[in-house]
Amino acid sequence: MLSALPTALPQVLADADFLAFTLKHPDFYPATSFVLNNGTKCEIWDTGVICFTPDSYGNNDIVLSSGVHGNETAPIEICAALVKDILQERLQLAERVLFLFGNPAAMNAGLREIKDNMNRFFSGAHQIDPALLAKAPVAQQAEAAGVSFEKLRCARLEQYVSRFYQAMPQGRNRALYDLHTAIRGSKFEKFAVYPYLHGKPWSEQQLTLWASCGVNTFLLMQTPATTFSYYGANEHNAHAFTLELGKARPFGQNDHSRFADVALLLKKLISGDMISTKAFAETDFHLFEVYRAINKQTEAFELCFAADIENFTQFAPGTVLARDEGVEYVVEQPGEALIFPNAKVAIGQRAMLMVKPISVAGRTA
Ligand code: ZN
Protein backbone atom coordinates (compact mmCIF):
# COMPACT_ATOMS: atom_id res chain seq x y z
CA MET A 1 0.00 0.00 0.00
CA LEU A 2 2.57 2.55 -1.14
CA SER A 3 1.65 6.16 -1.67
CA ALA A 4 1.90 8.05 -4.93
CA LEU A 5 5.29 9.50 -3.99
CA PRO A 6 7.58 6.66 -4.96
CA THR A 7 10.82 8.57 -5.24
CA ALA A 8 10.39 11.55 -2.97
CA LEU A 9 9.68 12.35 0.63
CA PRO A 10 6.08 13.29 1.31
CA GLN A 11 5.61 17.03 1.60
CA VAL A 12 5.20 16.77 5.36
CA LEU A 13 8.70 15.35 5.57
CA ALA A 14 10.30 17.62 3.00
CA ASP A 15 13.05 18.55 5.46
CA ALA A 16 13.51 14.90 6.53
CA ASP A 17 13.06 15.99 10.13
CA PHE A 18 10.91 13.21 11.54
CA LEU A 19 11.40 14.47 15.10
CA ALA A 20 10.02 17.94 14.28
CA PHE A 21 7.19 16.24 12.41
CA THR A 22 6.46 14.06 15.45
CA LEU A 23 6.45 17.01 17.82
CA LYS A 24 4.05 18.84 15.51
CA HIS A 25 1.65 15.87 15.65
CA PRO A 26 2.14 14.62 19.21
CA ASP A 27 -1.15 12.71 19.47
CA PHE A 28 -1.54 10.93 16.20
CA TYR A 29 -0.61 10.74 12.57
CA PRO A 30 -2.41 8.55 10.03
CA ALA A 31 -0.33 5.76 8.54
CA THR A 32 1.51 6.65 5.35
CA SER A 33 4.30 5.03 3.36
CA PHE A 34 6.72 5.85 0.56
CA VAL A 35 9.89 4.51 -1.03
CA LEU A 36 13.26 6.25 -1.27
CA ASN A 37 15.36 6.28 -4.45
CA ASN A 38 17.66 3.67 -2.90
CA GLY A 39 14.72 1.29 -2.52
CA THR A 40 14.23 1.71 1.23
CA LYS A 41 10.57 1.38 2.13
CA CYS A 42 9.51 3.91 4.77
CA GLU A 43 6.30 3.43 6.71
CA ILE A 44 4.98 5.92 9.24
CA TRP A 45 2.66 3.89 11.47
CA ASP A 46 1.70 6.63 13.90
CA THR A 47 3.19 9.74 15.41
CA GLY A 48 6.81 9.01 16.35
CA VAL A 49 6.72 5.56 14.76
CA ILE A 50 8.65 4.94 11.53
CA CYS A 51 9.60 1.57 10.09
CA PHE A 52 12.35 1.17 7.49
CA THR A 53 12.79 -1.85 5.25
CA PRO A 54 15.76 -1.64 2.89
CA ASP A 55 15.72 -3.39 -0.49
CA SER A 56 17.87 -6.18 0.85
CA TYR A 57 18.29 -6.76 4.54
CA GLY A 58 20.14 -9.01 6.95
CA ASN A 59 18.92 -11.27 9.71
CA ASN A 60 18.47 -8.59 12.40
CA ASP A 61 15.20 -6.85 13.26
CA ILE A 62 16.15 -3.83 15.35
CA VAL A 63 13.85 -1.60 17.42
CA LEU A 64 15.43 1.69 18.52
CA SER A 65 13.27 3.40 21.10
CA SER A 66 13.83 6.82 22.65
CA GLY A 67 11.73 9.36 24.51
CA VAL A 68 9.71 6.87 26.57
CA HIS A 69 10.63 9.55 29.10
CA GLY A 70 9.98 12.81 27.28
CA ASN A 71 12.78 14.90 28.80
CA GLU A 72 15.56 12.42 28.05
CA THR A 73 16.56 14.19 24.90
CA ALA A 74 20.04 13.00 23.92
CA PRO A 75 18.89 9.59 22.65
CA ILE A 76 15.95 11.27 20.90
CA GLU A 77 18.37 13.57 19.08
CA ILE A 78 20.65 10.64 18.19
CA CYS A 79 17.75 8.68 16.69
CA ALA A 80 16.37 11.76 14.93
CA ALA A 81 19.76 12.26 13.28
CA LEU A 82 19.86 8.61 12.14
CA VAL A 83 16.32 8.87 10.71
CA LYS A 84 17.28 12.05 8.88
CA ASP A 85 20.36 10.39 7.38
CA ILE A 86 18.22 7.46 6.24
CA LEU A 87 15.54 9.71 4.71
CA GLN A 88 18.17 11.80 2.92
CA GLU A 89 19.86 8.60 1.71
CA ARG A 90 23.16 9.40 3.35
CA LEU A 91 22.83 6.20 5.36
CA GLN A 92 22.10 2.96 3.52
CA LEU A 93 20.41 0.48 5.83
CA ALA A 94 21.42 -3.17 5.89
CA GLU A 95 18.79 -4.24 8.41
CA ARG A 96 15.10 -3.66 9.09
CA VAL A 97 14.71 -0.93 11.74
CA LEU A 98 11.75 0.41 13.69
CA PHE A 99 12.29 3.80 15.32
CA LEU A 100 9.95 4.77 18.16
CA PHE A 101 9.74 8.17 19.81
CA GLY A 102 7.85 7.14 22.92
CA ASN A 103 6.10 10.12 24.46
CA PRO A 104 5.86 13.08 22.06
CA ALA A 105 3.44 15.02 24.29
CA ALA A 106 5.88 14.89 27.20
CA MET A 107 8.73 15.85 24.85
CA ASN A 108 6.81 18.98 23.88
CA ALA A 109 6.22 19.77 27.54
CA GLY A 110 9.87 19.13 28.48
CA LEU A 111 8.68 16.58 31.03
CA ARG A 112 9.52 13.00 31.88
CA GLU A 113 5.80 12.20 31.66
CA ILE A 114 2.49 14.06 31.56
CA LYS A 115 0.64 11.76 33.95
CA ASP A 116 2.05 8.23 33.99
CA ASN A 117 5.61 6.91 33.80
CA MET A 118 5.41 4.87 30.58
CA ASN A 119 8.18 2.52 31.68
CA ARG A 120 5.85 1.13 34.37
CA PHE A 121 3.00 0.13 32.04
CA PHE A 122 4.29 -2.35 29.47
CA SER A 123 3.53 -6.08 29.28
CA GLY A 124 -0.14 -5.32 29.64
CA ALA A 125 0.18 -3.31 32.88
CA HIS A 126 -1.57 -0.47 31.02
CA GLN A 127 -4.75 -2.61 31.18
CA ILE A 128 -6.01 -1.14 27.92
CA ASP A 129 -8.83 -3.01 26.22
CA PRO A 130 -7.51 -3.94 22.73
CA ALA A 131 -10.82 -2.74 21.32
CA LEU A 132 -9.79 0.78 22.30
CA LEU A 133 -6.75 0.75 20.07
CA ALA A 134 -8.49 1.98 16.93
CA LYS A 135 -6.78 4.58 14.77
CA ALA A 136 -7.73 7.87 16.33
CA PRO A 137 -5.89 10.59 18.20
CA VAL A 138 -4.53 9.05 21.36
CA ALA A 139 -5.39 12.03 23.52
CA GLN A 140 -9.05 11.98 22.42
CA GLN A 141 -9.33 8.23 22.93
CA ALA A 142 -7.61 8.36 26.26
CA GLU A 143 -9.92 11.07 27.51
CA ALA A 144 -12.99 9.16 26.33
CA ALA A 145 -11.76 6.00 28.06
CA GLY A 146 -10.67 7.75 31.24
CA VAL A 147 -7.05 6.59 30.94
CA SER A 148 -3.83 8.52 30.46
CA PHE A 149 -2.20 9.26 27.13
CA GLU A 150 0.80 7.29 28.37
CA LYS A 151 -1.06 4.05 29.08
CA LEU A 152 -2.70 4.11 25.68
CA ARG A 153 0.61 4.88 24.05
CA CYS A 154 2.24 1.88 25.81
CA ALA A 155 -0.49 -0.35 24.39
CA ARG A 156 0.05 1.10 20.92
CA LEU A 157 3.83 0.71 21.08
CA GLU A 158 3.37 -2.95 22.03
CA GLN A 159 1.24 -3.41 18.93
CA TYR A 160 3.84 -1.76 16.69
CA VAL A 161 6.68 -3.86 18.09
CA SER A 162 4.62 -7.02 17.58
CA ARG A 163 3.78 -6.00 14.04
CA PHE A 164 7.45 -5.28 13.27
CA TYR A 165 8.78 -8.60 14.53
CA GLN A 166 5.88 -10.76 13.40
CA ALA A 167 6.05 -9.49 9.80
CA MET A 168 9.08 -11.76 9.40
CA PRO A 169 9.47 -15.53 9.78
CA GLN A 170 10.59 -16.92 13.16
CA GLY A 171 14.25 -17.48 13.86
CA ARG A 172 15.65 -14.04 13.06
CA ASN A 173 17.66 -12.01 15.58
CA ARG A 174 15.52 -9.50 17.40
CA ALA A 175 16.81 -6.50 19.33
CA LEU A 176 14.97 -3.81 21.28
CA TYR A 177 17.20 -1.06 22.57
CA ASP A 178 15.27 1.40 24.73
CA LEU A 179 17.48 4.47 25.03
CA HIS A 180 17.32 6.72 28.08
CA THR A 181 19.29 9.25 30.07
CA ALA A 182 19.09 9.36 33.85
CA ILE A 183 17.77 12.08 36.17
CA ARG A 184 21.14 12.21 37.95
CA GLY A 185 24.81 11.66 37.26
CA SER A 186 26.34 8.22 37.72
CA LYS A 187 29.58 6.77 39.06
CA PHE A 188 29.48 4.82 35.79
CA GLU A 189 28.33 7.33 33.19
CA LYS A 190 26.73 4.76 30.90
CA PHE A 191 24.98 1.65 32.13
CA ALA A 192 22.29 -0.75 31.07
CA VAL A 193 19.46 -2.61 32.73
CA TYR A 194 19.40 -6.20 31.47
CA PRO A 195 15.82 -7.40 31.98
CA TYR A 196 15.03 -10.71 33.69
CA LEU A 197 15.56 -13.66 31.33
CA HIS A 198 13.81 -16.31 33.44
CA GLY A 199 17.01 -18.30 33.85
CA LYS A 200 18.23 -18.08 30.25
CA PRO A 201 21.94 -17.22 29.96
CA TRP A 202 23.03 -13.62 29.51
CA SER A 203 24.35 -12.95 26.00
CA GLU A 204 28.12 -12.47 25.80
CA GLN A 205 27.70 -11.12 22.28
CA GLN A 206 25.34 -8.40 23.54
CA LEU A 207 27.46 -7.58 26.59
CA THR A 208 30.60 -7.16 24.50
CA LEU A 209 28.70 -5.27 21.80
CA TRP A 210 27.64 -2.60 24.30
CA ALA A 211 31.00 -2.59 26.03
CA SER A 212 32.51 -1.62 22.66
CA CYS A 213 30.85 1.80 23.00
CA GLY A 214 31.53 2.29 26.69
CA VAL A 215 28.50 0.61 28.25
CA ASN A 216 30.18 -1.94 30.51
CA THR A 217 28.06 -1.56 33.64
CA PHE A 218 24.98 -3.79 33.74
CA LEU A 219 22.23 -4.21 36.25
CA LEU A 220 21.00 -7.79 35.85
CA MET A 221 17.37 -8.02 36.90
CA GLN A 222 15.98 -11.09 38.65
CA THR A 223 12.27 -10.44 38.46
CA PRO A 224 9.71 -9.60 35.75
CA ALA A 225 9.04 -5.89 35.25
CA THR A 226 6.69 -3.58 33.41
CA THR A 227 9.49 -1.88 31.47
CA PHE A 228 9.69 -1.72 27.69
CA SER A 229 12.91 -3.74 27.64
CA TYR A 230 11.41 -6.58 29.72
CA TYR A 231 8.45 -6.57 27.36
CA GLY A 232 10.77 -6.95 24.36
CA ALA A 233 12.81 -9.73 25.97
CA ASN A 234 9.92 -11.64 27.47
CA GLU A 235 7.21 -11.36 24.81
CA HIS A 236 9.40 -11.32 21.71
CA ASN A 237 12.60 -13.08 22.75
CA ALA A 238 14.52 -9.98 21.69
CA HIS A 239 17.90 -8.96 23.02
CA ALA A 240 16.54 -6.02 24.99
CA PHE A 241 18.07 -3.42 27.28
CA THR A 242 17.18 -0.19 28.99
CA LEU A 243 20.27 1.84 28.17
CA GLU A 244 21.12 4.78 30.41
CA LEU A 245 23.53 6.86 28.39
CA GLY A 246 24.21 9.91 30.54
CA LYS A 247 22.35 12.73 32.22
CA ALA A 248 19.03 14.14 31.01
CA ARG A 249 19.21 17.68 29.60
CA PRO A 250 16.76 19.78 27.55
CA PHE A 251 16.70 19.58 23.74
CA GLY A 252 19.70 21.35 22.21
CA GLN A 253 21.72 21.29 25.44
CA ASN A 254 23.35 17.89 25.08
CA ASP A 255 27.10 17.54 24.63
CA HIS A 256 26.99 15.03 21.78
CA SER A 257 30.68 14.25 22.09
CA ARG A 258 29.68 12.25 25.18
CA PHE A 259 27.27 10.17 23.09
CA ALA A 260 29.39 9.84 19.93
CA ASP A 261 30.49 6.24 20.56
CA VAL A 262 26.91 5.10 21.14
CA ALA A 263 25.62 6.96 18.08
CA LEU A 264 28.35 5.37 15.96
CA LEU A 265 27.54 1.89 17.27
CA LEU A 266 23.85 2.31 16.42
CA LYS A 267 24.75 3.53 12.95
CA LYS A 268 27.04 0.53 12.38
CA LEU A 269 24.40 -1.86 13.67
CA ILE A 270 21.74 -0.73 11.24
CA SER A 271 24.03 -0.20 8.25
CA GLY A 272 25.82 -3.55 8.58
CA ASP A 273 29.30 -2.09 9.25
CA MET A 274 31.89 -4.20 11.03
CA ILE A 275 31.83 -3.78 14.79
CA SER A 276 34.94 -4.93 16.58
CA THR A 277 34.35 -6.35 20.03
CA LYS A 278 36.62 -8.01 22.59
CA ALA A 279 36.15 -11.61 23.67
CA PHE A 280 33.90 -11.74 26.73
CA ALA A 281 35.71 -11.49 30.06
CA GLU A 282 33.75 -10.79 33.21
CA THR A 283 36.57 -8.63 34.54
CA ASP A 284 35.84 -6.06 31.79
CA PHE A 285 32.43 -5.37 33.34
CA HIS A 286 30.76 -3.92 36.41
CA LEU A 287 27.86 -6.31 37.02
CA PHE A 288 25.20 -5.72 39.65
CA GLU A 289 22.02 -7.36 40.79
CA VAL A 290 19.15 -5.84 42.73
CA TYR A 291 19.47 -6.45 46.43
CA ARG A 292 16.16 -4.79 47.30
CA ALA A 293 13.70 -2.17 46.09
CA ILE A 294 12.52 0.55 48.44
CA ASN A 295 8.99 1.69 47.73
CA LYS A 296 7.40 4.94 48.76
CA GLN A 297 4.61 4.02 51.17
CA THR A 298 3.36 7.41 52.34
CA GLU A 299 3.65 11.12 51.57
CA ALA A 300 6.14 11.33 54.46
CA PHE A 301 8.77 9.48 52.41
CA GLU A 302 12.11 11.29 52.26
CA LEU A 303 15.59 10.48 51.01
CA CYS A 304 18.43 11.04 53.48
CA PHE A 305 21.26 12.07 51.16
CA ALA A 306 22.20 14.96 48.90
CA ALA A 307 19.73 15.61 46.08
CA ASP A 308 22.46 15.40 43.45
CA ILE A 309 23.81 12.02 44.57
CA GLU A 310 25.13 9.88 41.73
CA ASN A 311 23.75 6.49 40.71
CA PHE A 312 25.88 3.58 42.04
CA THR A 313 27.05 5.55 45.08
CA GLN A 314 27.98 3.15 47.89
CA PHE A 315 27.47 3.71 51.61
CA ALA A 316 28.80 2.05 54.72
CA PRO A 317 26.48 -0.44 56.44
CA GLY A 318 24.29 1.34 58.97
CA THR A 319 23.89 4.51 56.95
CA VAL A 320 20.29 5.77 56.91
CA LEU A 321 19.11 5.98 53.29
CA ALA A 322 15.48 7.01 53.56
CA ARG A 323 12.63 7.49 56.01
CA ASP A 324 8.96 6.81 55.60
CA GLU A 325 6.14 6.95 58.12
CA GLY A 326 7.38 4.76 60.98
CA VAL A 327 10.21 3.20 58.94
CA GLU A 328 13.91 3.89 58.52
CA TYR A 329 15.80 2.27 55.64
CA VAL A 330 19.42 1.49 56.52
CA VAL A 331 22.28 0.04 54.47
CA GLU A 332 22.41 -3.66 55.39
CA GLN A 333 25.31 -5.10 53.36
CA PRO A 334 28.84 -4.03 52.46
CA GLY A 335 28.98 -3.05 48.78
CA GLU A 336 25.31 -2.01 48.59
CA ALA A 337 24.94 0.87 46.14
CA LEU A 338 21.89 2.94 45.31
CA ILE A 339 20.39 3.56 41.93
CA PHE A 340 17.43 5.56 40.55
CA PRO A 341 16.49 7.39 43.78
CA ASN A 342 13.39 9.52 43.23
CA ALA A 343 11.23 10.66 46.15
CA LYS A 344 8.71 12.21 43.74
CA VAL A 345 7.22 8.91 42.55
CA ALA A 346 3.58 8.05 43.23
CA ILE A 347 2.69 6.31 46.51
CA GLY A 348 3.35 2.59 46.22
CA GLN A 349 5.96 3.00 43.47
CA ARG A 350 9.67 2.31 43.62
CA ALA A 351 11.60 5.22 45.14
CA MET A 352 15.05 3.64 44.84
CA LEU A 353 16.85 0.39 44.18
CA MET A 354 19.72 -1.00 46.21
CA VAL A 355 22.12 -3.08 44.15
CA LYS A 356 25.17 -5.23 44.90
CA PRO A 357 27.93 -6.78 42.76
CA ILE A 358 27.24 -10.16 41.15
CA SER A 359 29.30 -12.75 39.25
CA VAL A 360 27.86 -14.31 36.09
CA ALA A 361 30.47 -17.09 35.84
CA GLY A 362 28.95 -20.09 34.08
CA ARG A 363 25.70 -18.29 33.35
CA THR A 364 26.56 -16.54 30.06
CA ALA A 365 26.49 -17.90 26.53
ZN1 ZN B 1 14.29 7.22 31.30
Side-chain angles (χ1 to χ4, degrees), residues 157-178:
L157 294 188
E158 289 180 0
Q159 282 197 329
Y160 300 135
V161 170
S162 299
R163 186 200 297 185
F164 177 68
Y165 288 140
Q166 289 164 7
M168 292 284 124
Q170 293 277 334
R172 293 166 55 79
N173 301 322
R174 294 171 173 178
L176 187 154
Y177 300 134
D178 187 29

Side-chain angles (χ1 to χ4, degrees), residues 33-34 38 56 94 147 214 217 228 257:
S33 62
F34 51 97
N38 63 14
S56 67
V147 298
T217 300
F228 201 19
S257 69

Side-chain angles (χ1 to χ4, degrees), residues 58 65 85 141-142 165 212 234 296:
S65 150
D85 283 351
Q141 269 190 289
Y165 288 140
S212 77
N234 187 54
K296 176 174 174 172

Side-chain angles (χ1 to χ4, degrees), residues 68-69 71-72 112 117 119 179-183 242 244:
V68 160
H69 294 140
N71 63 345
E72 297 174 2
R112 182 177 169 84
N117 177 352
N119 225 11
L179 310 171
H180 290 247
T181 48
I183 295 171
T242 308
E244 299 284 353

